[in-house]
């Protein structure tokens, strides 16, 4: 197999950028938090509970799991059906190793920040073939103001992790449209990764893909096989993501949830006026911090005017810029959101800033890379951009600290977070009839009977398993301390019996006479099928990529030998 030669100067530049990212990430974190303190963001409670559930599942060897019994005081919450936990493993492992919540959380942020930087640099370098463009893209993207909002103010862990895979999706689109279309699997890897981190981001990324296809109709007409490769990439993505997608669809078809009946907000209610959007870019804040983009992302655009001749990468960068402007317009009240109700699921228009950040950072990095020729000029610009990015972060960090300093959920030192009822503002993944106040009024393992003469004993609850001995002289119905989700199984005297959902959204079981009841969650056939589907597809894809790499290396070696022979 042919060895890949690495340019020492390129490797040195990459190492310098990653080291700078590491140092500046720590500086940025200290701007938001004191050394031994974490101030809670909007969604941190929900995500920490997810991590605690995963840590417990790893500790007890119960992975994969769908219903997290650490939520709702043991009643269980099926967040994993709708919010994947695959990339939460590093923090869960750190907690299981005995590190404090503060240390584990901060370390995890550094880990996925470095991962974002490495992936961004690699993808940009593969497209641009320029160290300058790759370096600019990495700094603009990783230290973008919106990413800082996501990581610290919003504590949007899923969306923050999605930043890792957005550059991969962009690279995959570029390869099929402009590069080697047979590298369709890059797009597959990008979309699979983002689906397993944050589903809403995958929806937005798909919208971005559609706009690229719309603006590239002429290329697709010239080579219709490109369409086939996009379809293949999509099909394999579905198979790789089956472990998450199929069970989610099954659950949504089996019941009605808050996400179906309750809307926290819609994009039409969260649009920006042009004035607000301008303030979010210029950082002109008065009384409150506006979630925005910052001006650093736009400054390098001036280098576009220095480029006179177009090539493939410049053409792609121009399309990125155009699509970024479309998404920017969509965040304003000038966009007719009332005609796009299918996108109401994204809730906040500022989620589009993630795509604007990606596309603007890429466009600007390409323009700078193809305009600036002198090395010292490039290094100077990198230093200016990095300094301004840290300065912008400092501006919003002060507001954030003033706003959060009295938050009761902040934690420091060896303190931990304890609020099992923190399941997100919209409680999206609860059955729609469930009332959290009712759950809070009950004890952790309380089993309700309708008939007072019914006697219960030997009640033992362990996670998603429950054991009860009962003696019901008359027909009765037990309401169990478990949220109803499809896949639970109840046995009475070793025989499976039908179950229903109570008016409170809990599991309800009819009983009569004496017996022993066992409740467990073995899952459904679709859940098991989807798991093996994803694993099998992953193995086959890895074999395909490996074989393709071996064949290409042999072809290149044969070509090189032929040239030497006739030289």
């Amino acid at each position: 197999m042919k060895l890949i030669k690495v340019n020492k100067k390129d490797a040195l530049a990459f190492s310098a950028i990653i080291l700078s990212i590491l140092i500046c990430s720590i500086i940025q974190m200290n701007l938001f938090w004191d050394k031994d303190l974490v101030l809670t963001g909007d969604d941190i409670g929900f995500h920490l509970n997810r991590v605690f559930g995963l840590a417990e599942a790893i500790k007890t060897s119960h992975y994969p799991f769908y219903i997290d019994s650490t939520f709702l005081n043991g009643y269980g919450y099926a967040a994993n059906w709708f919010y994947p936990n695959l990339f939460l493993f590093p923090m869960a492992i750190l907690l299981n190793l005995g590190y404090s919540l503060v240390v584990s959380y901060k370390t995890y942020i550094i880990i996925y920040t470095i991962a974002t930087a490495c992936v961004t640099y690699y993808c940009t370098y593969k497209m641009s073939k320029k160290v300058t463009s790759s370096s600019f893209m990495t700094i603009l993207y990783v230290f973008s103001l919106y990413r800082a909002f996501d990581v610290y103010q919003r504590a949007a862990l899923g969306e923050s992790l999605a930043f890792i895979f957005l550059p991969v999706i962009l690279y995959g689109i570029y390869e099929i449209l402009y590069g080697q279309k047979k590298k369709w699997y890059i797009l597959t890897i990008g979309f699979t990764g983002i689906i397993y981190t944050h589903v809403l981001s995958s929806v937005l990324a798909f919208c971005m893909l559609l706009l690229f296809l719309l603006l590239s109709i002429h290329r697709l007409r010239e080579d219709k096989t490109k369409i086939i490769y996009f379809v293949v990439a999509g099909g394999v993505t579905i198979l790789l993501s089956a472990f998450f997608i199929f069970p989610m669809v099954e659950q949504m078809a089996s019941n009605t949830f808050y996400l179906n009946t309750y809307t926290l907000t819609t994009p039409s209610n969260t649009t920006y006026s042009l004035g607000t959007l301008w303030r979010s870019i210029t950082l002109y804040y008065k009384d409150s911090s506006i979630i925005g983009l910052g001006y650093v992302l736009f400054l390098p655009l001036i280098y576009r005017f220095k480029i006179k001749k177009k090539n493939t990468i410049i053409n792609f960068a121009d399309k990125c810029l155009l699509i970024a402007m479309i998404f920017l317009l969509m965040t304003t009240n000038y966009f007719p959101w009332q005609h796009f109700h299918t996108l109401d699921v994204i809730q906040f228009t500022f989620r589009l800033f993630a795509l604007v950040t990606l596309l603007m950072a890429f466009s600007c990095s390409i323009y700078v890379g193809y305009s600036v020729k002198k090395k010292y000029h490039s290094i100077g610009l990198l230093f200016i951009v990095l300094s301004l990015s840290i300065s912008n972060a400092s501006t919003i960090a002060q507001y954030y600290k003033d706003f959060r300093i009295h938050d009761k959920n902040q934690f420091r030192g060896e303190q931990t977070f304890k609020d099992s009822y923190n399941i997100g503002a919209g409680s999206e993944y609860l059955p729609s009839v469930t009332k959290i106040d009712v759950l809070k009024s009950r004890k952790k393992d309380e089993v309700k009977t309708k008939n007072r003469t019914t006697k219960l004993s030997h009640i033992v609850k362990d996670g998603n398993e429950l054991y009860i001995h009962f003696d019901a002289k008359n027909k009765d119905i037990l309401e169990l301390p478990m949220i109803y989700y499809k896949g639970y199984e109840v046995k009475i005297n070793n025989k499976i019996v039908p179950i229903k959902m109570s008016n409170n959204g809990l599991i309800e079981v009819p009983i009569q006479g004496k017996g022993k009841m066992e409740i467990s969650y073995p899952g459904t056939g679709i859940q098991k099928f989807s798991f093996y589907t994803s694993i099998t597809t992953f193995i086959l894809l890895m074999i395909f990529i490996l074989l393709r790499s071996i064949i290409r290396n042999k072809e290149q070696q044969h070509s090189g030998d032929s040239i030497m022979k006739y030289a």
Side-chain angles (χ1 to χ4, degrees):
M1 188 171 174
K2 185 179 177 182
L3 293 175
I4 299 173
K5 292 183 179 180
V6 179
N7 185 300
K8 289 184 178 179
K9 290 184 178 179
D10 291 354
L12 185 62
F14 170 74
S15 300
I17 286 295
I18 297 304
L19 180 61
S20 301
I21 294 287
L22 174 60
I23 294 170
C24 292
S25 295
I26 295 172
I27 293 173
Q28 186 185 60
M29 185 179 291
N30 288 331
L31 289 174
F32 283 89
W33 301 326
D34 295 334
K35 182 179 179 181
D36 200 28
L37 170 71
V38 169
L39 296 172
T40 56
D42 298 334
D43 298 333
I44 197 170
F46 169 62
H47 291 301
L48 288 181
N49 281 331
R50 292 174 61 216
V51 175
F52 295 151
L54 178 59
E56 184 63 27
I58 295 172
K59 192 185 299 181
T60 57
S61 301
H62 282 160
Y63 193 87
F65 70 108
Y66 290 102
I67 300 175
D68 192 339
S69 60
T70 61
F71 276 100
L72 299 171
N73 199 26
Y75 280 69
Y77 191 48
N80 297 338
W81 268 311
F82 307 92
Y83 224 122
N85 61 15
L86 183 61
F87 292 97
L88 300 181
F89 269 84
M91 185 174 171
I93 291 171
L94 286 169
L95 288 171
N96 281 345
L97 289 174
Y99 292 98
S100 69
L101 182 56
V102 170
V103 171
S104 299
Y105 189 58
K106 288 187 173 183
T107 303
Y108 185 47
I109 289 177
I110 295 296
I111 289 172
Y112 71 70
T113 297
I114 297 301
T116 304
C118 291
V119 170
T120 302
Y121 189 96
Y122 174 81
C123 292
T124 309
Y125 187 80
K126 295 295 287 186
M127 288 184 276
S128 68
K129 306 297 188 293
K130 285 185 175 290
V131 170
T132 302
S133 293
S134 305
S135 302
F136 259 89
M137 171 65 177
T138 304
I139 288 175
L140 282 171
Y141 186 66
V142 173
F143 290 109
S144 59
L145 198 64
Y146 181 67
R147 186 176 179 277
F149 273 114
D150 258 359
V151 174
Y152 298 104
Q153 180 167 323
R154 296 185 60 225
L157 189 53
E159 195 169 313
S160 299
L161 290 169
F163 270 77
I164 299 173
F165 296 99
L166 286 174
V168 183
I169 291 173
L170 191 65
Y171 174 31
I173 293 171
Y174 175 81
E175 282 291 3
I176 298 179
L177 288 178
Y178 294 90
Q180 301 178 48
K181 57 190 177 184
K182 290 184 179 180
K183 287 186 176 181
W184 54 267
Y185 50 84
I186 294 170
L187 187 61
T188 293
I189 292 170
F191 265 105
T192 302
I194 206 169
I195 287 171
Y196 277 111
T197 55
H198 191 239
V199 179
L200 292 184
S201 291
S202 68
V203 173
L204 295 178
F206 183 71
C207 293
M208 178 180 72
L209 171 60
L210 292 180
L211 287 175
F212 271 112
L213 295 178
L214 185 63
L215 295 175
S216 306
I217 289 178
H218 63 289
R219 283 187 167 273
L220 298 175
R221 284 177 177 171
E222 290 172 0
D223 186 356
K224 292 182 174 60
T225 60
K226 293 180 186 292
I227 299 174
I228 296 174
Y229 283 111
F230 275 113
V231 173
V232 170
V236 178
T237 297
I238 292 173
L239 293 176
L240 281 172
S241 308
F243 174 53
F244 169 72
I245 293 175
F246 292 179
M248 177 185 68
V249 173
E250 180 187 30
Q251 284 300 316
M252 291 185 68
S254 71
N255 206 344
T256 303
F257 299 91
Y258 270 84
L259 62 88
N260 306 119
T261 58
Y262 171 72
T263 303
L264 182 64
T265 187
T266 61
S268 59
N269 294 326
T270 59
T271 55
Y272 284 43
S273 67
L274 288 180
T276 303
L277 183 61
W278 176 251
R279 291 196 299 276
S280 79
I281 294 172
T282 59
L283 302 185
Y284 182 70
Y285 301 151
K286 285 187 176 181
D287 301 320
S288 64
S289 180
I290 304 166
I291 294 177
L293 294 161
Y295 58 83
V296 178
L297 198 60
F298 297 84
L299 288 180
L301 275 179
I302 59 176
Y303 286 92
R304 180 62 183 90
F305 299 103
K306 295 184 68 175
I307 299 174
K308 303 302 179 183
K309 294 182 180 179
K310 276 192 175 185
N311 57 21
T312 299
I313 193 66
I314 297 297
N315 182 274
F316 185 66
D318 288 344
K319 284 184 180 178
C320 288
L321 178 60
L322 176 58
I323 294 173
M325 293 300 104
I326 292 172
F327 284 134
L328 204 57
L329 174 66
M330 289 175 66
T331 66
T332 70
N333 47 24
Y334 287 92
F335 186 79
W337 280 104
Q338 64 273 18
H339 300 303
F340 294 88
H341 290 299
T342 53
L343 289 177
D344 280 354
V345 66
I346 71 170
Q347 298 176 325
F348 306 101
T349 56
F350 60 67
R351 291 190 196 275
L352 292 166
F353 286 157
L355 298 180
V356 175
T357 298
L358 170 77
L359 298 167
M360 286 296 301
F362 180 78
S363 298
C364 289
S365 68
I366 296 299
Y367 299 151
V368 170
Y370 279 82
S371 299
V372 180
K373 305 300 181 182
K374 296 180 179 178
K375 185 180 294 185
Y376 72 88
H377 191 176
S378 300
I379 295 174
L381 281 174
L382 282 170
F383 179 76
I384 291 171
V385 168
L386 187 55
S387 299
L388 288 175
S389 298
I390 296 298
S391 176
N392 280 359
S394 178
T395 300
I396 65 167
Q398 190 55 52
Y399 167 81
Y400 169 83
K401 290 170 77 171
D402 293 342
F403 179 72
R404 297 285 183 186
I405 197 65
H406 300 298
D407 196 316
K408 65 179 181 179
N409 291 327
Q410 64 178 267
F411 47 93
R412 64 173 70 242
E414 297 299 317
Q415 289 180 335
T416 189
F417 177 89
K418 292 182 180 179
D419 182 4
S420 68
Y421 291 99
N422 195 322
I423 60 173
S427 304
E428 292 94 339
Y429 318 128
L430 279 179
S432 57
V433 298
T434 310
K435 295 178 177 59
I436 293 183
D437 289 341
V438 172
L439 302 184
K440 287 182 177 180
S441 68
R442 297 188 179 186
K443 297 177 182 178
K444 183 176 182 178
D445 300 333
E446 184 176 355
V447 180
K448 286 269 188 177
T449 63
K450 291 190 176 182
N451 194 326
R452 292 184 179 181
T453 61
T454 299
K455 295 180 180 179
L456 305 177
S457 62
H458 299 90
I459 300 175
V460 178
K461 189 171 186 295
D462 181 19
N464 295 321
E465 296 179 351
L466 179 63
Y467 304 91
I468 306 171
H469 286 243
F470 63 84
D471 182 0
K473 295 180 180 179
N474 301 309
K475 287 184 179 180
D476 201 355
I477 294 177
L478 297 187
E479 189 178 51
L480 310 179
M482 294 171 158
I483 303 293
Y484 175 89
Y485 292 106
K486 184 175 182 179
Y488 269 110
E489 182 179 272
V490 176
K491 291 181 179 180
I492 295 180
N493 298 328
N494 295 319
K495 291 184 179 180
I496 297 176
V497 298
I499 62 175
K500 294 172 60 178
M501 182 175 70
S502 73
N503 294 332
N504 295 312
L506 304 177
I507 296 175
E508 191 175 80
V509 186
I511 60 170
Q512 187 174 16
K514 292 183 178 181
K516 179 182 178 182
M517 182 184 295
E518 301 175 25
I519 300 94
S520 61
Y521 194 87
T524 67
I526 288 179
Q527 289 166 19
K528 296 167 185 175
F529 169 77
S530 64
F531 174 75
Y532 291 110
T533 297
S534 292
I535 290 294
T536 303
T537 305
F538 176 77
I539 294 171
L540 292 176
L541 181 62
M542 291 302 102
I543 293 172
F544 170 79
I545 294 173
L546 180 61
L547 290 177
R548 185 180 183 277
S549 177
I550 294 172
I551 292 170
R552 284 196 65 201
N553 286 335
K554 284 184 177 180
E555 289 175 348
Q556 290 174 4
Q557 188 175 7
H558 178 72
S559 177
D561 291 343
S562 299
I563 292 172
M564 290 296 293
K565 181 179 179 180
Y566 293 101

